[in-house]
Amino acid sequence: MVITVTGGAGFIGSNFIFHMMKKYPDYRIICLDKLTYAGNLSTLDAVKDNKNFRFVKADICDREAVYKLFEEEKPDILVNFAAESHVDRSIENPDVFLQTNIMGTAVLADACRKYGIKRYHQVSTDEVYGDLPLDRPDLLFTEKTPIHASSPYSSSKAAADLLVLAYNRTYQLPVTVSRCSNNYGPYQFPEKLIPLMIANALNDKPLPVYGEGINVRDWLYVEDHCTAVDLVIHKGRVGEVYNIGGHNEMRNIDIVKLICKELGKSESLIKYVEDRKGHDMRYAIDPTKIHDELGWLPETKFEDGIKKTIGWYLENKTWWETIISGEYRSYYNKMYGSKC
């Protein structure tokens, strides 16, 4: 089996590669990644010398490069993790999100049509559903929840989902789509909430929290997500969407306070900043479908996963300190510098 993983040098993509190479040592795994600011080749050091692994630096929008890879490797499955994914950046510069998340998906789908594929899997997000009210804990996103995206990021992902599903109906391309809740765990780029708070707290720097910090997210440990995607690409029904949720709803401010407690840092580091434009209030996924059809349930409780995550960042300071000393620093100063 040959599997191409796009965006495999990023957070979830790299964890998926580790999962697949450990579980299926006979599979050939091809990682295609543009290596933007969020892609880090050193993340893949543990597998780079494996005979069944190949890294290709390319942009999924580059049709010639993508087609060349398909001609060379003839993948059986393509899993598309490649995406611009940070909401704040999408508000600052929507264009790159439209290019990568929509046009890049179109190039990949066309390549799968042209060269044949057993499965094209599109990794998406619960953010395509918009948000839920804080005072209705009974409401959850299901696969039948109407798409109601709030940001340029989530709109671009919703468009990609619809495009992939249209390729299934129009061209009979064998596709599946998964929509996950907020992931956390090792190798997450430190612009996202949890690694940002860990890194700042360790350096005794302000912990910027949007608004009152009451926004709720459903947190999914990245290894549980990888297990779910593995099941979908092997056993999921073609043309179907599967929601992947963690059953771990937490307010942003409570997560930040928990990180302070785990690291022995004062909550005085917390600084409330002007709220994000169009900030969704609550995400919550109902994963009944993937459980009933494929037997998947999240295994990691948040209190366990956050301890493992904090431990990883403590043990791998070189990895994230190298990142925050580079291009990310200027972006961080632009977004939060004057607010803290």
Side-chain angles (χ1 to χ4, degrees), residues 241-257:
V241 175
Y242 293 91
N243 282 351
I244 305 172
H247 280 316
N248 283 307
E249 288 187 55
M250 295 280 291
R251 299 193 309 170
N252 289 347
I253 187 61
D254 294 331
I255 289 177
V256 178
K257 289 180 178 180

Side-chain angles (χ1 to χ4, degrees), residues 266-335:
S266 171
E267 291 181 10
S268 64
L269 289 172
I270 298 172
K271 303 297 180 184
Y272 295 95
V273 301
E274 181 182 350
D275 207 356
R276 169 193 289 163
K277 296 176 182 177
H279 201 174
D280 289 336
M281 293 308 298
R282 173 176 170 257
Y283 302 148
I285 274 184
D286 179 357
T288 298
K289 179 177 177 178
I290 191 172
H291 172 61
D292 288 349
E293 291 192 13
L294 305 179
W296 179 88
L297 280 176
E299 297 181 358
T300 309
K301 295 180 179 179
F302 186 80
E303 53 266 35
D304 298 326
I306 193 66
K307 289 180 180 179
K308 288 198 291 184
T309 300
I310 291 172
W312 187 89
Y313 280 89
L314 285 170
E315 295 170 6
N316 293 273
K317 285 187 176 181
T318 301
W319 182 86
W320 56 266
E321 285 178 341
T322 300
I323 292 173
I324 63 176
S325 66
E327 182 269 341
Y328 172 65
R329 178 49 48 192
S330 61
Y331 167 78
Y332 178 87
N333 289 335
K334 178 181 179 181
M335 294 303 298

